[in-house]
Amino acid sequence: MTNSPAGERRERILRAAVRDRLVEPDSAVLAAFVDLDGVAASVAALQKAFPDSVNVLHTFAAKANCLVPVLAELRDLGMGCEVASPGELAQALAAGFAPEQIVYDSPAKTRSDLRQALELGVAVNADNFEELARIDEILAARASESAPASASASRIGVRLNPQVGGGGIVEMSTATATSKFGIALEDDGNRQRLLAAYRDRPWLTWVHAHVGSQGCPLELIAQGIAKAVAFADEVNATCGRRQVTGIDIGGGLPVNFADDETAPGFDDYVATLQAHAPALFTGAYRIVTEFGRSLLAKNGFTAACVEYTKISGGRPIAITHAGAQVATRTVFMPAAWPLRLTAHGPDGTLKQGEPVPQDIAGPCCFAGDLLAEARPLPLLTPGDIVALLDTGAYYSSTPFHYNSLPDPAVHGVRVDPDGHVHFHPLRQAETVDDVLSRSGH
């Protein structure tokens, strides 16, 4: 088995992790790693892709990796933060993001969620007409108490569903005709009702659209954003004033999970936007982006020890410590979320040998807990290590507590110019006592 430059870097990191006993039998059978140098390079590529002529705030979608130290790293790189729950908002604040750098997008915000966001000055994208009515009530109450007429420093917008269709993964497509997200722009009466909503609310100054993420082609994403820009222009024309001043274009750049190449890139994304929505780049509107997976996925991997091996029905099976608890989507939707896997010896060195089709199984107590079926890899034996590639987003940072398995440690990684690998903890491994604590004990 040969190695790419990115593969050689991962192997160097894994060997160092074994040396430092961050991966070892019994005490550290599962661990995740985030390459912070790679994260910085990805953020720089995003920032460089957008022309200097536009005023843009790039926010990171916290759901993709909600660990507070990771969010703090992204803040230091000049990012804002997009959140979708009270917990993510708390994590963003704990990471040091200023309220004006945070965007709140949940489709199920409670009154208390909205009050907190509006009191702090966090940007809010309303998901539906009923939520707009709640915001009306909260702003009116604040104005009557002590605040001025606007009653909040928050940027407030509406999430549109441009209804341009779905991509290759239905579950990741948010602009279908019947999507649960946003106000369906083409449904009967909605456009006029939306225009009236903006006309009657001078504080409603943003438009938001997010077409989807993995499986959505760039052209589909750009078509949805183009409809959002056209609607913003329509609002301003209808109101006779420059009311909409900003457009939140979401995120959604798909990730290449087939090999080490980062494709498409952020420059490809911007070029496609420029072709479909040139008005976005005139400087007439401020822009917010909400990328997540595309910034983190390829900058991380997960290492799992092989505990046992067996043969069943003539096929070798390797039982590892990584399964549905850290690779939930891969286990339950393997066709949509396949993972690249590499085989390593106990010292972390890439394993050589003729590839043998074998099942790579996890520790969860159900038969479908498989990372891969009949995957050709050098034959694994107990004590070996399997690396799950492209898992810097979601995966270990979003665990599934099946069988009360403990959350693994997550380590940040930097490699200095001399090639020395340095680790620092992003999340400590859970202990059995931690598991008992979250179980109500």
Side-chain angles (χ1 to χ4, degrees):
M1 183 180 291
T2 58
N3 224 344
S4 66
E8 290 173 357
R9 182 179 175 90
R10 280 192 301 270
E11 184 180 346
R12 178 188 292 271
I13 292 169
L14 184 54
R15 291 201 313 267
V18 172
R19 176 202 66 206
D20 291 357
R21 303 183 68 182
L22 303 180
V23 180
E24 64 176 359
D26 289 336
S27 62
V29 294
L30 180 65
F33 300 88
V34 177
D35 186 338
L36 299 174
D37 298 329
V39 172
S42 294
V43 171
L46 169 61
Q47 293 168 337
K48 183 179 178 182
F50 279 76
D52 294 337
S53 59
V54 296
N55 181 344
V56 57
L57 171 65
H58 296 295
T59 69
F60 175 72
K63 57 183 170 289
N65 192 314
C66 58
L67 302 183
V68 171
V70 172
L71 297 179
E73 289 279 345
L74 290 159
R75 181 210 63 210
D76 289 345
L77 293 169
M79 297 287 292
C81 193
E82 184 267 342
V83 302
S85 73
E88 288 181 356
L89 176 57
Q91 289 161 334
L93 293 170
F97 288 101
E100 62 268 21
Q101 296 175 299
I102 302 173
V103 179
Y104 204 152
D105 277 336
S106 167
K109 306 179 199 75
T110 66
R111 285 181 173 82
S112 61
D113 295 340
L114 290 167
R115 277 194 292 268
Q116 180 187 20
L118 294 171
E119 286 168 5
L120 288 171
V122 167
V124 173
N125 288 318
D127 184 78
N128 53 70
F129 289 114
E130 292 176 357
E131 185 176 337
L132 267 182
R134 285 188 180 181
I135 293 173
D136 286 338
E137 295 169 4
I138 294 168
L139 292 181
R142 285 176 57 79
S144 66
E145 291 166 1
S146 60
S150 65
S152 175
S154 297
R155 306 184 308 273
I156 305 175
V158 173
R159 178 168 183 168
L160 305 179
N161 173 6
Q163 294 176 295
V164 291
I169 304 176
V170 174
E171 293 81 3
M172 304 305 295
S173 300
T174 57
T176 59
T178 58
S179 173
K180 76 173 189 177
F181 291 102
I183 296 175
L185 187 59
E186 305 301 340
D187 279 17
D188 288 346
N190 274 0
R191 182 181 294 272
Q192 291 307 314
R193 193 177 174 191
L194 274 166
L195 290 171
Y198 276 86
R199 184 187 63 240
D200 297 342
R201 297 170 174 84
W203 45 261
L204 201 54
T205 57
W206 279 72
V207 168
H208 173 44
H210 176 67
V211 173
S213 53
Q214 198 64 20
C216 289
L218 296 187
E219 289 74 16
L220 185 70
I221 294 171
Q223 288 164 15
I225 294 170
K227 291 185 71 172
V229 175
F231 178 75
D233 289 343
E234 187 177 1
V235 169
N236 290 344
T238 300
C239 294
R241 59 181 181 265
R242 186 173 175 267
Q243 176 160 328
V244 175
T245 59
I247 302 178
D248 184 334
I249 62 175
L253 184 71
V255 172
N256 166 34
F257 287 103
D259 55 40
D260 280 329
E261 183 183 4
T262 299
F266 292 111
D267 51 349
D268 299 314
Y269 172 88
V270 170
T272 308
L273 278 185
Q274 288 171 325
H276 286 80
L280 189 64
F281 297 91
T282 63
Y285 296 106
R286 296 168 63 194
I287 300 171
V288 164
T289 70
E290 302 174 353
F291 293 102
R293 180 183 294 105
S294 51
L295 288 168
L296 265 290
K298 299 195 80 65
N299 294 313
F301 69 93
T302 305
C305 292
V306 177
E307 193 67 40
Y308 297 109
T309 57
K310 63 179 75 173
I311 295 176
S312 184
R315 181 185 295 171
I317 301 173
I319 308 294
T320 79
H321 287 276
Q325 87 278 30
V326 292
T328 313
R329 285 175 175 168
T330 294
V331 168
F332 290 113
M333 299 178 63
W337 297 97
L339 270 180
R340 291 190 293 148
L341 304 173
T342 51
H344 302 259
D347 65 350
T349 301
L350 194 67
K351 196 161 185 173
Q352 303 299 318
E354 191 69 24
V356 176
Q358 54 199 299
D359 290 355
I360 311 301
C364 296
C365 197
F366 64 95
D369 186 34
L370 298 171
L371 298 178
E373 291 188 71
R375 180 69 60 86
L377 290 169
L379 190 63
L380 291 160
T381 58
D384 284 341
I385 299 167
V386 172
L388 292 62
L389 310 189
D390 305 327
T391 55
Y394 302 97
Y395 291 90
S396 293
S397 65
T398 312
F400 173 39
H401 290 142
Y402 197 91
N403 285 145
S404 295
L405 290 163
D407 297 345
V410 182
H411 305 280
V413 187
R414 286 191 170 90
V415 181
D416 67 27
D418 295 326
H420 299 125
V421 180
H422 304 274
F423 300 100
H424 72 268
L426 301 176
R427 183 183 69 202
Q428 299 286 351
E430 274 195 321
T431 66
V432 172
D433 285 343
D434 294 329
V435 173
L436 283 174
S437 178
R438 63 171 160 84
S439 304
H441 179 70

